[in-house]
């Protein structure tokens, strides 16, 4: 993988770690997003504003297969709602994220129009609702039945579908 990447989000087993190596930045709903103040929120916006970043997702299924999605353009458009601007997909997962282009980041206490964040019990850029959800619940073994009416696992629709929770997911950014 060319370029220097900083990882923003990882889910491995039930341990969740966000913004490794980037202290004092807003954590995009890793169990604590609602508890953080304005300083941290402005920090992540400064990280992503005014420059085009390369956005990379690494996924692993329960059979041990690794796949990647890369977006050549990733930017947050405002510091209040973290509106997503994303494009230029390449990779072997299929594009499950471009549908969320121009969406604001919603959380269960800062709802989106269709109340997807409440149904998923997590934050994301929802567009009625989403084809990719990496902030989901960790369901052991892959295939799962959702606990409610929403598929709330760690999924990437174009690779595994809604009802398959990935074993590992990470999101990374690079300025190169």
């Amino acid at each position: 993988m060319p370029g220097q990447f900083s990882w923003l989000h990882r889910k491995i087993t039930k341990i969740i770690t966000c913004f490794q190596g980037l202290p004092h930045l807003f954590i995009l709903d890793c169990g604590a997003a609602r508890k953080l103040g304005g300083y941290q929120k402005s920090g992540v916006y400064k990280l992503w504003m005014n420059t085009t970043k390369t956005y990379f997702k690494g996924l692993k299924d329960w059979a041990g297969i690794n796949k990647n999605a890369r977006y050549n353009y990733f930017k947050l458009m405002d510091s209040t709602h973290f509106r997503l601007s994303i494009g230029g997909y390449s990779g072997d997962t299929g594009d499950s994220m471009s549908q969320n282009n121009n969406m604001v980041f919603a959380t269960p206490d800062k709802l989106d129009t269709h109340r997807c964040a409440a149904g998923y019990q997590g934050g994301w850029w929802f567009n009625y609702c989403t084809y990719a959800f990496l902030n989901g619940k960790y369901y052991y073994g892959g295939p799962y039945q959702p606990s409610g009416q929403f598929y709330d696992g760690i999924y990437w629709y174009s690779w595994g579908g809604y009802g398959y929770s990935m074993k590992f997911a990470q999101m990374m950014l690079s300025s190169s």
Side-chain angles (χ1 to χ4, degrees):
M1 175 175 38
Q4 183 75 19
F5 282 84
S6 296
W7 59 266
L8 301 173
H9 175 278
R10 281 188 173 182
K11 281 204 170 193
I12 309 168
T13 68
K14 290 187 178 184
I15 299 169
I16 303 167
T17 308
C18 297
F19 289 109
Q20 177 67 25
L22 301 171
H24 308 297
L25 296 178
F26 181 60
I27 298 169
L28 292 179
D29 193 53
C30 287
R34 295 179 302 277
K35 298 176 185 172
L36 297 177
Y39 175 76
Q40 289 87 356
K41 290 179 183 180
S42 64
V44 76
Y45 178 65
K46 288 176 185 173
L47 175 69
W48 291 337
M49 72 178 196
N50 298 328
T51 56
T52 302
K53 303 288 186 181
T54 300
Y55 182 57
F56 175 83
K57 292 185 183 213
L59 303 169
K60 183 182 212 176
D61 71 6
W62 287 88
I65 299 169
N66 292 296
K67 290 192 177 186
N68 302 304
R70 183 182 183 115
Y71 294 86
N72 290 329
Y73 185 85
F74 181 89
K75 186 176 176 182
L76 296 181
M77 302 305 288
D78 66 76
S79 63
T80 304
H81 303 291
F82 305 110
R83 185 173 300 278
L84 177 65
S85 181
I86 191 168
Y89 166 80
S90 63
D92 56 1
T93 62
D95 181 9
S96 288
M97 194 67 187
S98 290
Q99 173 228 3
N100 300 347
N101 188 46
N102 205 35
M103 295 290 97
V104 299
F105 192 84
T107 59
D109 64 338
K110 187 177 178 186
L111 293 174
D112 53 292
T113 305
H114 302 287
R115 301 186 53 79
C116 299
Y120 281 79
Q121 299 175 16
W124 199 249
W125 296 277
F126 293 107
N127 184 5
Y128 196 77
C129 284
T130 188
Y131 290 123
F133 189 56
L134 302 186
N135 280 338
K137 292 179 184 175
Y138 191 87
Y139 287 101
Y140 186 84
Y144 73 98
Q145 290 296 317
S147 54
Q149 68 182 43
F150 292 85
Y151 283 96
D152 56 357
I154 305 165
Y155 70 82
W156 191 266
Y157 180 76
S158 58
W159 183 43
Y162 293 117
Y164 188 91
S165 188
M166 295 292 158
K167 183 174 185 177
F168 173 84
Q170 68 180 355
M171 298 183 281
M172 300 182 293
L173 280 182
S174 173
S175 58
S176 59

